[in-house]
Amino acid sequence: MSLYEYPYPSPELAATHPFIPHVHEALDADEMERRARDFHEHLESRRSVRMFAPDPIPRAVIEHAIAAASTAPSGAHKQPWTFVAISDPATKREIRLAAEEEERVNYLDNRMNEEWQEALAPLGTDHHKEFLEIAPWIVVLFEQRYEVRADGERRKNYYVKESCGIAAGMFITALHTAGLVTLTHTPSPMAFLTKLLGRPENERPFVMFPIGLPLDGTQVPDIARKPLDDVLVVID
Ligand code: IYR
């Protein structure tokens, strides 16, 4: 049944599932282009940073960024994510030690093959992860493989990886907009985080974000983004 041929929602649907008018800010074409260009420029200045200053960041800033991320679209609107925000120094230390042990195996015992290590060479990363203790916040995004309802019943979640990936992108964007820096960090394997942070069986760590201000004098790799022509195909 085409939504264009019948009223949407149908009276039957509206009777069981409430609908409300969609609120939309109409822009003229010039304003659209201006905002799109400005937003692109804003995002071009974002860089992943590995050297953090220890300066504290107010919890409210992190909470707003997580609330922003949680507006992400998700499969069947299940919002299959949990964000764990950590500023407790003892917990950050435990995370650092566990992550460094996993990374030691990756780098020094060659769990990452040569091709992978070659791809990482320009970033100059190694198994030391001091930033996990120095950054004032670590946020771990957990994916919820399935939902556990209040009565204990399990319900499937849909497109969990896609949903969490979108939420992660929106979180990174929110942090950048708030003047913070982060590193999209996936110590591998990350399973230790489930136990360390006391998360339930239905959750798996998806990605970890140390967050704060860049250390004074921080340098980043001189690497360029692909030009638009390399990432865009237009069919019109
Ligand atoms: N997880 C390791 C290795 C690593 C992998 C990728 I792909 C990167 O872009 C960067 C690092 C580490 O965190 O060092």
Side-chain angles (χ1 to χ4, degrees):
M1 173 172 87
S2 160
L3 298 181
Y4 287 89
E5 287 169 38
Y6 297 85
Y8 179 74
S10 67
E12 298 77 29
L13 178 58
T16 50
H17 297 82
F19 277 62
I20 53 173
H22 176 248
V23 179
H24 175 67
E25 183 191 5
L27 303 175
D28 64 40
D30 285 346
E31 181 62 13
M32 260 184 217
E33 192 177 328
R34 192 159 33 246
R35 290 207 198 178
R37 186 190 308 109
D38 288 353
F39 191 65
H40 169 213
E41 197 180 307
H42 169 60
L43 289 193
E44 278 293 354
S45 67
R46 186 201 58 77
R47 292 299 308 257
S48 293
V49 157
R50 290 181 171 76
M51 301 292 282
F52 292 82
D55 308 48
I57 299 297
R59 173 171 159 171
V61 178
I62 303 301
E63 288 183 350
H64 279 301
I66 291 169
S70 199
T71 68
S74 59
H77 189 50
K78 293 285 194 171
Q79 298 184 264
W81 47 67
T82 304
F83 293 81
V84 179
I86 304 131
S87 66
D88 169 50
T91 307
K92 285 194 297 177
R93 178 162 184 77
E94 283 187 80
I95 292 174
R96 172 191 173 179
L97 294 177
E100 284 186 334
E101 179 48 30
E102 294 293 0
E103 297 296 3
R104 201 190 52 70
V105 180
N106 288 335
Y107 284 92
L108 304 183
D109 296 346
N110 290 319
R111 184 158 57 190
M112 290 188 295
N113 63 25
E114 227 169 81
E115 183 179 335
W116 191 350
Q117 301 215 25
E118 210 176 286
L120 290 182
L123 307 181
T125 55
D126 64 19
H127 65 286
H128 294 107
K129 304 296 173 191
E130 287 97 331
F131 57 76
L132 292 174
E133 259 190 283
I134 295 168
W137 288 95
I138 297 175
V139 169
V140 183
L141 166 50
F142 285 85
E143 58 176 75
Q144 297 172 355
R145 297 285 189 80
Y146 52 91
E147 176 188 6
V148 184
R149 299 209 166 158
D151 62 3
E153 210 184 315
R154 287 181 181 201
R155 278 286 187 283
K156 200 171 150 44
N157 283 333
Y158 303 93
Y159 296 99
V160 171
K161 298 250 179 250
E162 292 83 348
S163 303
C164 288
I166 296 166
M170 293 174 70
F171 184 54
I172 293 164
T173 305
L175 294 172
H176 178 61
T177 303
L180 297 174
V181 294
T182 189
L183 174 68
T184 307
H185 187 43
T186 51
S188 157
M190 284 202 287
F192 68 88
L193 289 166
T194 310
K195 203 166 155 214
L196 202 154
L197 299 173
R199 299 314 303 162
E201 158 60 31
N202 63 319
E203 295 186 4
R204 295 277 185 279
F206 184 69
V207 61
M208 180 201 279
F209 299 99
I211 298 162
L213 297 173
L215 189 65
D216 267 352
T218 292
Q219 299 212 21
V220 292
D222 186 9
I223 47 181
R225 295 189 168 108
K226 290 181 177 175
L228 191 60
D229 274 354
D230 286 13
V231 299
L232 170 66
V233 176
V234 179
I235 299 166
D236 62 0

